[in-house]
Amino acid sequence: MEGTAMRDLMAEPAWQEEDLGVPLPDSPHACSVCLPTWESVIGYEEGRDKVVRRMRAGYPRFFKHPTVEQLFAKAKSEVATEHEEVLVLPTRESVQRAHRWVERRAETAIRITSYNGLQALIVPSKALKDANFYWRFSGEVVSSRQAQDCLDGNLREGTKSHLISRALSKILGTSAEDVFVFSSGMAAASAMLRALPAVKDGKKTLQLEFPYVDCLKIQELFGNGVVYLNEATGGSLDEALQRIRQGEFAGVFTEVPSNPLLRTVDLKRVAEACNEGRTPLIVDDSTSGPFNLDVLRFADAMTGSLTKWISGAGDVMAGMAAVRDSSPFAETLRQSLSLDSTKTSPLYIADAEVLLSNLHSYSKRMKTVNENGAALAAWLSEHPAVAQVWHPSLVQTDHYHAVMRKDGGYGGLLSFVLKAEKKTPRVYDALRFNKGPSFGTNFTLVCPYTLLAHYDELKWVEACGVSQNLLRVSCGLEPIGHILATFEEALSHA
């Protein structure tokens, strides 16, 4: 039944070989999947059949939900030829944008058609890889609920995104008219990129600090290229600020704190440079969330994933963007984001209803998550087997405090590496917590982040200071004594 979890993943976590491929949470609309062993993570990344065939779920932009696959197959049988493939997209605007992008990138003719209230992108088989890239990076996806309703002939009209905007505006301290809801966090980010006026003039963007992989990719794929500063401190930051003052960039993007190293750039200095250079500053707050951070104190606009902490349940994907009312770019950004959030990648009404239900407990949950995250980070930093821990309570705290709300905390996301890194697989395999991609769930969730996000570029990532043996932890609502005891047992293998 919708919204009913069969397995309590706080009491009975999915962590063993027998759990490979089970949805996290135990829901037909789960946004994560159990990868319980180091070998299963590698097998997933390499597409090994013994792993992939057991997958019953996955992160929706990366892994086509079985219901979405069923919709694609049905559409293919009805509107495509033998040598064509089909992706179903939510709106006319999204499929037209996908059509232009994929056709240009694949250098082949493709076509589009309406399909049962949605839109079909029909591509030659050789262009499927590029079409999948668009699906993943644009975030303009059809959700599992939307796909099921389409298959059942019950596709719903209408929206409840305005109710979500209203609820979020109270958390953000902004007007509801300045908050925009999207089908995914990446749809919000790509819409924000399109909204920047100077993108149309051919200017590149600037990315500060090591980012979540797809945040960098959308600037490369959908913008005019990106200048990337891996560690925004010291002389490197000084040089970047000077280039910002000179108006070199269409916009400056950063995450506060960054993922997975939980670093926080000096937003005050960056904002001052952006103001002088008349350059929009865009901050993503997904890792800690708006309960903890007020990034609009400095940013012209923000983006964030609603799939993570704000939902908590892990059973619905959504994203948001918000504009600072006093920004000189406010009106331009509002107009573009309003259009994209309603016409290109709106949140499906059934998903909105689930999200509205989930976010009622957001503030209460985050208080527990903050306490657990800070306690685990402090404990791990003193553990004899641990080499380094990254958490906002330990890393660049002064810069984090500059955007932290009065009653906020440090969030539940942290990363660490062992002194004996070769023993990381043994520790991961022994860890009796849910293991899989994503974060922000009510249950503790662990993953070997670098392997999952950067498997094909591990040397480059290591050069950026991110170990391929890094473990990322998303603290849940379990009692802190249980969390510490579980890590103590697993770390005995180190």
Side-chain angles (χ1 to χ4, degrees):
M1 185 187 301
E2 174 73 51
T4 303
M6 301 291 291
R7 176 175 177 176
D8 181 352
L9 291 173
M10 287 195 285
E12 187 188 352
W15 68 278
Q16 301 178 86
E17 170 62 34
E18 66 203 45
D19 295 314
L20 172 60
V22 304
L24 302 176
D26 186 4
S27 160
H29 304 290
C31 292
S32 188
V33 63
C34 181
L35 295 169
T37 65
W38 199 265
E39 275 302 306
S40 68
V41 171
I42 293 173
Y44 167 71
E45 288 297 324
E46 295 185 349
R48 297 177 189 169
D49 183 63
K50 67 178 182 179
V51 173
V52 175
R53 61 183 163 82
R54 290 179 62 181
M55 303 278 284
R56 291 164 43 203
Y59 199 72
R61 289 186 301 104
F62 294 79
F63 177 87
K64 302 292 194 316
H65 188 280
T67 307
V68 172
E69 287 277 30
Q70 187 180 348
L71 176 64
F72 286 10
K74 186 172 186 291
K76 178 179 176 177
S77 70
E78 295 177 10
V79 302
T81 65
E82 181 183 354
H83 301 293
E84 290 178 321
E85 301 293 336
V86 173
L87 266 70
V88 180
L89 294 167
T91 64
R92 186 71 175 173
E93 286 76 6
S94 64
V95 82
Q96 287 175 338
R97 185 173 287 120
H99 176 273
R100 292 191 296 270
W101 190 85
V102 176
E103 194 167 67
R104 183 172 63 249
R105 185 177 173 91
E107 298 181 336
T108 186
I110 62 177
R111 54 196 180 95
I112 58 180
T113 187
S114 298
Y115 182 74
N116 294 345
L118 299 173
Q119 299 290 324
L121 181 74
I122 306 162
V123 304
S125 298
K126 67 176 183 178
L128 180 60
K129 182 178 180 180
D130 291 310
N132 282 332
F133 274 155
Y134 189 85
W135 171 277
R136 169 183 167 178
F137 294 117
S138 74
E140 296 163 8
V141 299
V142 170
S143 75
S144 53
R145 291 182 181 87
Q146 198 170 15
Q148 188 63 65
D149 286 352
C150 184
L151 288 167
D152 294 342
N154 294 320
L155 199 63
R156 296 171 61 187
E157 300 291 337
T159 180
K160 293 192 175 178
S161 290
H162 60 291
L163 300 178
I164 298 173
S165 293
R166 192 180 306 164
L168 293 174
S169 71
K170 294 176 182 177
I171 300 168
L172 294 168
T174 61
S175 165
E177 286 69 36
D178 288 330
V179 183
F180 307 91
V181 177
F182 293 82
S183 59
S184 69
M186 204 50 55
S190 56
M192 185 66 75
L193 177 66
R194 287 193 295 272
L196 301 179
V199 166
K200 301 176 182 66
D201 299 330
K203 287 187 178 182
K204 293 183 177 181
T205 48
L206 173 65
Q207 173 70 46
L208 297 177
E209 289 292 337
F210 187 88
Y212 168 61
V213 55
D214 288 2
C215 291
L216 193 62
K217 294 293 186 185
I218 64 165
Q219 296 173 69
E220 294 174 349
L221 294 172
F222 302 138
N224 303 304
V226 55
V227 175
Y228 164 51
L229 181 56
N230 178 59
E231 194 168 330
T233 57
S236 297
L237 179 59
D238 292 340
E239 180 186 348
L241 295 180
Q242 183 58 32
R243 295 171 70 178
I244 294 169
R245 292 188 194 100
Q246 293 169 353
E248 180 178 335
F249 305 108
V252 177
F253 287 82
T254 192
E255 298 170 36
V256 173
S258 64
N259 178 15
L261 296 184
L262 288 306
R263 295 167 54 88
T264 300
V265 71
D266 188 342
L267 273 185
K268 185 174 185 293
R269 289 186 68 200
V270 176
E272 289 170 349
C274 285
N275 185 57
E276 188 175 335
R278 292 197 57 79
T279 304
L281 172 59
I282 315 301
V283 177
D284 190 290
D285 75 345
S286 298
T287 45
S288 282
F291 176 83
N292 292 319
L293 299 177
D294 179 13
V295 299
L296 290 177
R297 191 177 299 169
F298 297 110
D300 292 284
M302 64 174 290
T303 57
S305 173
L306 303 179
T307 312
K308 313 298 195 304
W309 303 113
I310 288 176
S311 169
D315 62 352
V316 62
M317 189 165 72
M320 64 161 289
V323 177
R324 191 183 82 235
D325 181 63
S326 61
S327 167
F329 310 100
E331 189 54 37
T332 300
L333 296 177
R334 273 193 207 104
Q335 289 179 8
S336 184
L337 293 169
S338 177
L339 190 65
D340 267 345
S341 64
T342 55
K343 299 295 185 182
T344 300
S345 48
L347 183 64
Y348 184 55
I349 187 170
D351 294 308
E353 289 168 347
V354 174
L355 182 58
L356 280 166
S357 176
N358 291 349
L359 67 76
H360 283 307
S361 60
Y362 172 56
S363 296
K364 181 180 179 181
R365 285 185 279 108
M366 285 311 298
K367 292 176 182 177
T368 302
V369 163
N370 288 340
E371 292 171 0
N372 287 349
L376 179 59
W379 183 85
L380 285 171
S381 67
E382 298 294 327
H383 196 283
V386 175
Q388 189 170 359
V389 182
W390 292 270
H391 184 253
S393 65
L394 304 172
V395 179
Q396 295 179 321
T397 52
D398 288 349
H399 296 163
Y400 187 91
H401 288 159
V403 288
M404 190 167 75
R405 294 188 186 274
K406 182 180 177 181
D407 297 322
Y410 298 102
L413 199 68
L414 61 93
S415 301
F416 70 97
V417 291
L418 301 176
K419 291 177 180 176
E421 289 197 30
K422 290 184 178 179
K423 295 184 178 179
T424 308
R426 290 169 59 188
V427 171
Y428 180 75
D429 290 359
L431 197 53
R432 295 171 180 258
F433 277 125
N434 301 286
K435 289 176 277 191
S438 197
F439 64 88
T441 50
N442 297 331
F443 48 85
T444 294
L445 187 59
V446 185
C447 72
Y449 175 82
T450 316
L451 288 188
L452 278 172
H454 299 281
Y455 190 74
D456 295 326
E457 51 186 14
L458 291 176
K459 288 185 179 180
W460 174 76
V461 175
E462 291 262 12
C464 291
V466 183
S467 169
Q468 63 180 284
N469 293 303
L470 176 143
L471 293 178
R472 190 185 70 181
V473 184
S474 172
C475 289
L477 303 177
E478 299 92 342
I480 188 58
H482 171 70
I483 292 175
L484 299 183
T486 303
F487 271 95
E488 180 69 81
E489 193 279 328
L491 286 170
S492 69
H493 296 270

